[in-house]
Amino acid sequence: MSRLTLPLQGAQMLFVAFGALVLMPLITGLDTSVALFTAGIGTLLFQFITKRQVPIFLASSFAFIAPILYGVQTWGIPATMGGLMAAGVMYLMLGAMVKIRGTGFIHRLLPPVVVGPVIIIIGLGLAPMAVNMALGKTGDGSAVLVDPDTALIISLASLLTTIAIAIWAKGLLKLMPILGGILVGYGLSLIFGIVDFTKVEQAPWLAMPNFVAPEFHWQAIMFMIPVAIAPAVEHIGDILAISNVTGKDYFKKPGLHRTLAGDGVATIAAAAFGGPPNTTYSEVTGAVSLTRNFNPSIMTWTAITAILMAFVGKLGALMQTIPVPVMGGIMCLLFGSIAAVGLNSLIRNNVDLGEPRNLCIVGVTLVFGIGGMAFGIGSFSLQGISLCGVVAIILNLVLPATPAHIKAELAQSKQDASSH
């Protein structure tokens, strides 16, 4: 492979990830240029810790959208970043436990009956925001930013384009449904005249990203730590996927403990600069599968390209001009897909909701999450995804396993019901 080919392949991988990478900071109000920079830095750190053996790219994690929105509103961006750094430390602790006790530890602490409903809550909890933005409102619905009729046309066009590309597109294009939806929605926004280029005209070509130094507040830290549960399990799934694609067992070499540690250090570094937490990107894994190019050096160039683009001031300003309905339309599919992943986790692992124990864990977790349950002692409170994660883990550890004779009775009753 020539020296020129590697940078071009790297730029192509960034193009695949670009839509999802910038959408997350746009939703949460973080800086897109910082997100590009921290995705690059995080990937390089991941490669260093895993000895550049895994061809994977790390960027903005959608699992943290709701916690970041709540954290920014409650404590501000610096304190939220401090909490996210603590979530990264949680990854390191999980990696250490995997090193000491093996991968079975993760599956015992976080079985599908725990992870499934938490992931469902991540998606469904964000549904009202997606609908509000699709209708031209702010995420909380408090203000109208775009005429509702115009917004609906743009958001539906973005949504349908994203669906069409995901289902019917071929080759590399199939891996870029979010980017396709943004481009079509943005084009319609230009036609309707709702795009304001003032910031782009004022922005310099070269500019330093708006880095934010973290602050440490124990309330924000305690709120963010449980949120790391679902992304940690997602990480395991992504490492398994890239292992299947390349035909190498990355659970053994470099080891799951190293990949978890790499993800944790990447998240800590991202939050230290004021960027969104990092996670392994399935889109890029799909691109690796399609191109059949398994050289990890490509991801090094993907990271370098992201870092260089972070300093293009006009690009960052251009990202800020994407109208609300464009993002809202795509989010209707995106957040629904997250919930479907959680549901699929329960189905694929044959979690029997006929068992009282499983039903209690899933039922309580879903109602607490969708209903907005909150527990507080003094100035400390748990709610949302954090509360769901803690409750699901505690119920799983405390509730006794269903006795074998009850399982047999349930199985027999199902068999009898199906025979009639």
Side-chain angles (χ1 to χ4, degrees):
M1 186 176 293
S2 70
R3 292 183 178 180
L4 181 61
T5 304
L6 275 174
L8 289 176
Q9 289 267 15
Q12 176 179 267
M13 293 297 177
L14 181 61
F15 193 63
V16 170
F18 192 81
L21 194 165
V22 301
L23 185 62
M24 193 276 197
L26 285 172
I27 294 169
T28 55
L30 302 181
D31 189 274
T32 52
S33 296
V34 175
L36 279 165
F37 179 83
T38 54
I41 291 295
T43 300
L44 293 178
L45 288 170
F46 178 86
Q47 287 197 322
F48 175 76
I49 291 172
T50 58
K51 301 179 180 179
R52 206 158 77 164
Q53 295 182 42
V54 188
I56 208 161
F57 182 70
L58 279 72
S60 315
S61 171
F62 284 94
F64 283 90
I65 290 178
I68 290 176
L69 287 169
Y70 178 80
V72 170
Q73 182 182 6
T74 307
W75 301 291
I77 292 179
T80 300
M81 292 301 117
L84 291 172
M85 290 183 75
V89 173
M90 182 71 175
Y91 277 76
L92 296 179
M93 293 173 63
L94 285 173
M97 293 302 293
V98 168
K99 174 70 174 175
I100 296 170
R101 304 186 61 176
T103 56
F105 158 77
I106 292 287
H107 298 296
R108 286 192 296 273
L109 182 66
L110 304 172
V113 72
V114 169
V115 176
V118 172
I119 295 177
I120 291 172
I121 291 301
I122 290 174
L124 295 185
L126 293 165
M129 171 187 285
V131 172
N132 283 330
M133 293 176 72
L135 294 174
K137 303 175 184 178
T138 55
D140 59 3
S142 61
V144 177
L145 304 177
V146 180
D147 175 70
D149 294 334
T150 302
L152 194 57
I153 294 172
I154 295 170
S155 59
L156 285 177
S158 300
L159 172 60
L160 294 175
T161 300
T162 305
I163 293 173
I165 293 174
I167 294 177
W168 289 296
K170 303 293 183 183
L172 200 61
L173 182 61
K174 189 178 182 69
L175 301 170
M176 297 183 281
I178 293 176
L179 186 60
I182 289 175
L183 291 175
V184 169
Y186 196 81
L188 271 177
S189 300
L190 289 172
I191 294 172
F192 281 108
I194 63 171
V195 181
D196 183 4
F197 287 107
T198 304
K199 290 184 178 179
V200 180
E201 294 168 355
Q202 294 174 347
W205 278 103
L206 294 176
M208 186 71 69
N210 296 315
F211 296 125
V212 177
E215 296 177 0
F216 299 98
H217 294 268
W218 68 269
Q219 296 99 327
I221 290 172
M222 294 304 294
F223 174 77
M224 283 294 178
I225 285 176
V227 182
I229 293 169
V233 176
E234 179 189 7
H235 170 93
I236 296 170
D238 286 338
I239 296 300
L240 179 62
I242 192 67
S243 295
N244 291 336
V245 166
T246 62
K248 298 180 180 180
D249 189 354
Y250 296 121
F251 280 73
K252 293 183 178 179
K253 185 180 179 181
L256 182 61
H257 63 287
R258 281 189 177 272
T259 63
L260 276 169
D263 206 339
V265 170
T267 293
I268 292 170
F273 286 100
N278 284 323
T279 190
T280 47
Y281 258 33
S282 302
E283 297 96 324
V284 174
T285 299
V288 169
S289 176
L290 184 69
T291 60
R292 311 304 297 173
N293 194 330
F294 308 142
N295 187 351
S297 297
I298 291 174
M299 299 308 164
T300 303
W301 283 104
T302 305
I304 292 171
T305 305
I307 292 170
L308 292 175
M309 289 180 68
F311 292 91
V312 180
K314 287 196 180 294
L315 176 63
L318 184 64
M319 294 299 102
Q320 300 297 326
T321 66
I322 299 176
V324 162
V326 177
M327 295 185 286
I330 297 169
M331 286 157 57
C332 287
L333 173 63
L334 189 67
F335 296 157
S337 299
I338 293 172
V341 167
L343 185 61
N344 187 50
S345 175
L346 296 174
I347 296 170
R348 189 178 65 250
N349 292 282
N350 297 317
V351 176
D352 186 359
L353 296 182
E355 290 189 29
R357 178 183 187 277
N358 293 341
L359 186 62
C360 288
I361 296 171
V362 174
V364 171
T365 304
L366 289 178
V367 171
F368 275 21
I370 296 174
M373 176 65 77
F375 289 160
I377 302 175
S379 60
F380 171 71
S381 66
L382 268 181
Q383 63 182 38
I385 299 165
S386 302
L387 176 61
C388 290
V390 171
V391 168
I393 288 176
I394 291 175
L395 287 176
N396 179 60
L397 294 175
V398 171
L399 296 181
T402 304
H405 70 278
I406 294 181
K407 284 186 178 182
E409 290 175 6
L410 290 170
Q412 184 62 46
S413 64
K414 286 182 182 179
Q415 187 175 355
D416 293 342
S418 62
S419 63
H420 289 298

